[in-house]
Each structure stands twice: as structure tokens, then as C-alpha cells.
Amino acid sequence: MIPAKEKAIELVNKFKLSTGANTKINIYVAKKCAAYTVGTILDEYQSISDLDSTLVVGGQVMSIVDKIIYWEEVKQQIEKL
């Protein structure tokens, strides 16, 4: 699994505009979009009633709780960027 900081950078970079827009505004908007995306992912995981369930992600077995913790870490890293 990609480390949380790298995933945060990857998500923010995907939302950056490739235009000549103001860089500070561009980064601000990209961070907001990335944070919204992570929030949506967290909402989906947290809506699963059986948090003891496991998932297989990239051949690795993980619990729902592990995924929630990972995405919370990504969210924190986005805020630090």
C-alpha cells in the first residue's frame, strides 16, 4: 500500500489545474477536492455495519478498520501540504 503522505500528494496533484491559474488558489482548491474525495471514501467505509470485515486489496488482507485508519492518515497528510 502506498504510504499515506505519498497518497495525499498524489491526490492533490491529480486535482491541480494545468492552466496558468494563481498557484496558491490552485493548490487550495486541489487540497479541498482531495480532502472531499477522502471524506467520501471514509464515509463509505464507516457506513459498513460489520467493521470486523476484511478486504483483499492488492493481494493484501486488511480489515475495514485498517482502511479507515489509512484514509484518516491520508486526510491528515493532505491538511499538512
Side-chain angles (χ1 to χ4, degrees):
M1 181 167 27
I2 299 172
K5 184 174 183 175
E6 287 181 35
K7 182 54 110 175
I9 292 168
E10 176 186 317
L11 285 170
V12 170
N13 285 338
K14 285 186 183 216
F15 285 107
K16 281 185 184 175
L17 301 173
S18 60
T19 64
N22 181 303
T23 304
K24 286 184 181 180
I25 292 172
N26 191 6
I27 291 171
Y28 173 80
V29 171
K31 286 173 61 175
K32 289 292 184 185
C33 291
Y36 176 81
T37 301
V38 171
T40 302
I41 292 167
L42 282 167
D43 288 346
E44 287 298 316
Y45 279 126
Q46 291 170 343
S47 70
I48 297 171
S49 60
D50 183 8
L51 292 178
D52 292 329
S53 296
T54 56
L55 304 167
V56 178
V57 180
Q60 183 179 5
V61 178
M62 301 185 79
S63 73
I64 298 294
V65 173
D66 289 337
K67 292 301 285 183
I68 290 170
I69 291 168
Y70 172 76
W71 286 107
E72 285 289 350
E73 289 173 7
V74 171
K75 186 176 174 184
Q76 290 172 5
Q77 291 298 322
I78 289 170
E79 293 168 1
K80 292 179 182 179
L81 294 176

